[in-house]
Amino acid sequence: MRPILKSNKLDDVCYEIRGPALEKARAMEEDGQKIIKLNIGNLAVFGFDPPDEIVHDMIRNMHGAAGYTDSKGMFAPRKAVMHYTQGKGIAGVGIDDIYLGNGASELIVMAMQGLLNTGDQVLVPAPDYPLWTAAVSLAGGAPVHYVCDEAAGWLPDIEDMRRKITPNTRAIVVINPNNPTGALYSRDVLLEIIELARQHQLIVYADEIYDKTLYDGEEHVSLASLADDVLFVTLNGLSKNYRSCGYRAGWMVVSGEKRHAKDYIEGLNMLASMRLCANAPGQYAIQTALGGYQSIADLVGPGGRLLRQRDLAHKLLTDIPGVSCVKPKAALYMFPRLDPKMYPITDDQQFICELLAEEKVLLVQGTGFNWIAPDHFRLVFLPNSDDLTDACGRIARFLDGYRRRHAR
């Protein structure tokens, strides 16, 4: 029979967080081996439960969750998101500017599908959360990666961003707080990005899913709160701040210069209608979450579990010879660098697979986040302290052997 091939639209689409290394890990598990998975920020499997009031409200409302909702979402949770944006200082947002989705991920894909024609370019950070690059490619666009500078605490290189703007550029993606680096951007940096968008009439997509997962007293500034003469699309949700990944409850807010975006907004409305609606049980969680006790503060504040584990992982990793790491100010990840002189890696996916085979620890290679060189990896610091210590000890042992094998 003739082979059945995937669409050529998928040729440039990849998502290495759930890529070949994970498939290898699954095969090892089927053989009875126990794998320490530090590849995905899936909080529930590490004992981070959602707030009880969210669970209880979803259960109480389940009888009313069987029907379709409005294509943009129920009124009450959208109203809660509207109040949330007001609290973040984002002006001029009404109910109709808010779209609820099956997580922010669905809305990222929808936003790109509604915008891009073949050959349109979108500036995406390197490193990035790879769904952004994939969504641009899937929509027929061309992702153009601007560099975030590790030496400057992983802040965006504004001049690199400026150099990469062309007549085909439609938008800039800003992931703040950043996944995978844990960087948090200052107001001054955000204002520079807005000025670029203003000069070149670009849309700014602000992925702010970790805006409450902040350490050391840091504060998050929403990009869309800093101007009203640029079109902003801000994305957020419950998955991380409220430990509710599986509930698939996210939102997208359109704000700023909307007068000249009526056709694009019409396209977003069309796409929202085509998917009928976001899942209703997850929508019921939003109002309770945003209006309830913000327990994430207990996890990231002094003595909090996430703060302790961040500090532990950072110390354990940077104690390894040839490993350096900018300490994350936010989010759930480390993005360490391996000194190329000590670790002459040419294929970081193969490197990750070797680590998995030898030590049964699953990470994601840096190039899986569209980083420019095979010298980084991402580690999720969600396991409890004992398991995290075990995992980092295994990584250290593997790297010791790797140095010895590749000593010059």
Side-chain angles (χ1 to χ4, degrees), residues 117-121 140-142 168:
N117 294 311
T118 301
D120 285 346
Q121 296 175 347
N168 293 327

Side-chain angles (χ1 to χ4, degrees), residues 187-263:
R187 179 183 296 266
D188 289 344
V189 167
L190 298 178
L191 287 171
E192 290 186 84
I193 294 171
I194 290 171
E195 183 57 31
L196 278 183
R198 181 181 292 123
Q199 292 172 6
H200 297 276
Q201 299 185 51
L202 305 178
I203 303 173
V204 178
Y205 291 92
D207 182 341
E208 300 184 347
I209 196 76
Y210 295 96
D211 68 339
K212 289 181 180 292
T213 309
L214 310 171
Y215 307 102
D216 306 321
E218 295 284 351
E219 294 185 5
H220 177 264
V221 177
S222 280
L223 247 175
S225 71
L226 299 177
D228 59 7
D229 61 337
V230 170
L231 183 66
F232 296 96
V233 179
T234 303
L235 299 110
N236 210 321
L238 301 188
S239 60
K240 307 303 182 180
N241 294 329
Y242 299 92
R243 288 86 67 199
S244 302
C245 298
Y247 292 174
R248 309 313 301 135
W251 56 86
M252 176 172 71
V253 178
V254 181
S255 67
E257 177 47 74
K258 293 176 282 190
R259 291 174 300 169
H260 295 88
K262 291 181 179 178
D263 197 57

Side-chain angles (χ1 to χ4, degrees), residues 5 11-12 70 185 231 331 365 390:
L5 305 178
D11 287 349
D12 296 320
D70 182 275
Y185 302 162
L231 183 66
Q365 69 274 15
D390 179 24

Side-chain angles (χ1 to χ4, degrees), residues 3 41 72 78 91 98 141 187 193 217 225 274 281 286 299-300 333 340 383:
K72 289 185 177 181
R78 281 198 287 157
I98 296 166
R187 179 183 296 266
I193 294 171
S225 71
M274 287 170 61
I286 293 173
L299 294 170
V300 299
Y333 315 101

Side-chain angles (χ1 to χ4, degrees), residues 337-401:
R337 178 181 183 269
L338 300 169
D339 184 345
K341 293 180 180 178
M342 299 179 69
Y343 306 100
I345 301 165
T346 56
D347 182 340
D348 59 349
Q349 183 178 91
Q350 179 60 33
F351 173 84
I352 291 298
C353 287
E354 290 175 9
L355 168 64
L356 173 64
E358 289 189 26
E359 294 293 346
K360 300 180 178 59
V361 176
L362 177 61
L363 305 173
V364 183
Q365 69 274 15
T367 57
F369 300 93
N370 296 294
W371 182 238
I372 54 179
D375 58 357
H376 285 72
F377 62 85
R378 191 189 75 166
L379 174 144
V380 175
F381 55 80
L382 290 174
N384 64 51
S385 296
D386 289 344
D387 291 339
L388 196 57
T389 300
D390 179 24
C392 290
R394 296 184 188 202
I395 294 169
R397 185 167 59 203
F398 173 78
L399 290 176
D400 180 64

